[in-house]
Amino acid sequence: MFKVSKIWLAILIALAISAPLLHSVIPDVVSDYRLFLVSTMIIASIAVLGLNLLTGFNGQISLGHSAFYAVGAYTAAILMDKFDCPYYLTLPAAAVVSFIVGYLFGLPALKLEGHYLALATFALALAVPQILKYKWLVSVTGGVQGIVLTKPEVPFGLPLSEDQWLYYYCLIVMLALYWVAANILNSRSGRAIIAIRDYQIAAGTMGINTARYKAVTFGISAAYTGVAGALSASAIAFVAPDSFNFFLSIKFLIGLVVGGMGSLTGSVIGGIFYVVVDNSAQALSSFVKNDLGVQFDLSAYTVFGVLLVALMYVMPMGIAGAIFALVHKLELKRRETRTSEVLCRRESNKLT
């Protein structure tokens, strides 16, 4: 598990907090659109973190996290649309509902491992969008037309635009969830979760209730992804079943692998990667066709695939793993240099 020093973490948080305040100074660089784009990166990072808790730290493979993302999004949307619930109260509701769904799904999935579990979650990802379209639920879910919402309003008369407030709202939620995840992983329960990933038989021999921990981890992972879905519903102000198809799960998984499995920092990198590629694929396709003269449409999935193969060849541990390996190598080299300097000084002192 890779860690970031507290100093660097404080610097990054300070930069993230101060970024929207530069809107009035450099409006072209820190525009509302770019702040909205960063907000979507934050939301994606939370979703990737949810998958990372399950796959990266507990070793359970999931291809169905788009289903939990949909559960959280629709829980928030229905509460806001049908019950006039404030958007900030939909987050705990989405977390609870998603946790229950994830935990209940995790119980029968305890008998499955590896690719069998992946196939079960794959079926879940395919089923949920169709369930949301079911005719008996149309009055609640809106069917194929979905539910139109309003974006979160700026509270307390703060001098911020809607996109600036959305950015801070998502950032606060992300920091809180990452703090909770870090504390869970550093606790006794977190060590048990990781032990199950590394060697399940040995963990069970040591008295760890592997079935309970795996089911609870499934629930916590679903809760995190559900919160991301609820944030997405507020940010985009619209939900529809086709927005939560199976390919969304693949994007989460690609973000996890590229960012770095078993790394909280890797979850952030993976979320950023997934949104950047998703939003730049069309521009790259236009560049290839118009500027290079190659009549070939590059879909987002084509770009994802090419980059994934390239990054896995160059960085098999993900971007976070490569960064920390480089930092570790530089640190070792610095220590070796310092040690050689000390030895040289001792030798020179002996000669004098």
Side-chain angles (χ1 to χ4, degrees):
M1 184 169 58
F2 312 116
K3 295 183 179 180
V4 179
S5 67
K6 293 182 179 180
I7 297 176
W8 280 107
L9 185 61
I11 292 173
L12 291 174
I13 293 174
L15 290 174
I17 293 173
S18 60
L21 303 178
L22 301 175
H23 176 70
S24 58
V25 181
I26 43 177
D28 294 334
V29 177
V30 189
S31 63
D32 283 340
Y33 169 73
R34 289 181 177 173
L35 286 175
F36 172 77
L37 196 62
V38 175
S39 299
T40 60
M41 293 178 186
I42 293 172
I43 294 170
S45 298
I46 296 173
V48 174
L49 172 60
L51 181 58
N52 205 354
L53 290 173
L54 183 69
T55 302
F57 290 99
N58 194 229
Q60 300 186 71
I61 301 173
S62 172
L63 296 177
H65 264 54
S66 61
F68 305 126
Y69 195 81
V71 169
Y74 267 90
T75 299
I78 292 170
L79 287 174
M80 287 189 285
D81 183 58
K82 305 296 182 182
F83 301 98
D84 293 326
C85 182
Y87 62 90
Y88 50 85
L89 292 181
T90 62
L91 294 185
V96 171
V97 173
S98 299
F99 176 86
I100 293 172
V101 173
Y103 182 81
L104 293 177
F105 182 82
L107 289 177
L110 291 174
K111 298 181 179 180
L112 304 173
E113 292 183 3
H115 56 282
Y116 295 107
L117 178 60
L119 287 174
T121 54
F122 169 71
L124 179 67
L126 293 180
V128 167
Q130 302 306 316
I131 293 173
L132 294 172
K133 297 177 185 177
Y134 191 60
K135 60 182 180 179
W136 298 109
L137 297 176
V138 168
S139 60
V140 178
T141 63
V144 294
Q145 296 181 349
I147 302 174
V148 179
L149 305 168
T150 57
K151 294 190 73 170
E153 297 181 356
V154 182
F156 312 120
L158 296 173
L160 300 171
S161 66
E162 286 186 347
D163 289 308
Q164 285 176 313
W165 168 243
L166 176 67
Y167 170 86
Y168 279 122
Y169 176 53
C170 294
L171 181 64
I172 291 170
V173 173
M174 185 190 78
L175 292 176
L177 291 178
Y178 269 75
W179 178 78
V180 171
N183 280 276
I184 290 175
L185 294 171
N186 289 325
S187 67
R188 181 179 178 181
S189 297
R191 290 189 289 272
I193 289 171
I194 296 172
I196 293 171
R197 176 200 65 186
D198 293 338
Y199 208 130
Q200 183 173 334
I201 297 176
T205 305
M206 294 171 64
I208 297 174
N209 190 334
T210 57
R212 184 183 67 183
Y213 273 106
K214 289 174 73 173
V216 170
T217 304
F218 219 112
I220 294 174
S221 174
Y224 268 71
T225 308
V227 169
L231 286 173
S232 175
S234 297
I236 301 174
F238 177 71
V239 293
D242 291 334
S243 301
F244 310 104
N245 54 32
F246 167 68
F247 292 105
L248 182 60
S249 293
I250 296 299
K251 291 177 183 177
F252 292 155
L253 186 61
I254 290 173
L256 171 63
V257 174
V258 170
M261 296 178 63
S263 167
L264 295 179
T265 307
S267 301
V268 178
I269 296 173
I272 294 172
F273 172 85
Y274 142 49
V275 174
V276 168
V277 173
D278 214 21
N279 285 272
S280 60
Q282 185 60 43
L284 182 60
S285 180
S286 300
F287 171 76
V288 170
K289 292 179 67 176
N290 300 330
D291 296 343
L292 300 182
V294 179
Q295 296 302 313
F296 182 74
D297 289 324
L298 285 176
S299 67
Y301 304 110
T302 304
V303 179
F304 271 128
V306 172
L307 289 176
L308 181 62
V309 172
L311 287 171
M312 288 301 95
Y313 181 77
V314 179
M315 305 175 184
M317 294 295 292
I319 296 175
I323 292 173
F324 283 97
L326 178 61
V327 171
H328 181 66
K329 186 180 292 186
L330 293 175
E331 181 67 20
L332 288 177
K333 190 173 182 179
R334 186 181 64 85
R335 290 179 180 178
E336 290 175 358
T337 304
R338 182 178 295 179
T339 303
S340 61
E341 289 177 354
V342 171
L343 292 175
C344 290
R345 288 175 186 173
R346 287 179 180 177
E347 291 296 328
S348 61
N349 290 334
K350 288 179 180 180
L351 295 174
T352 56

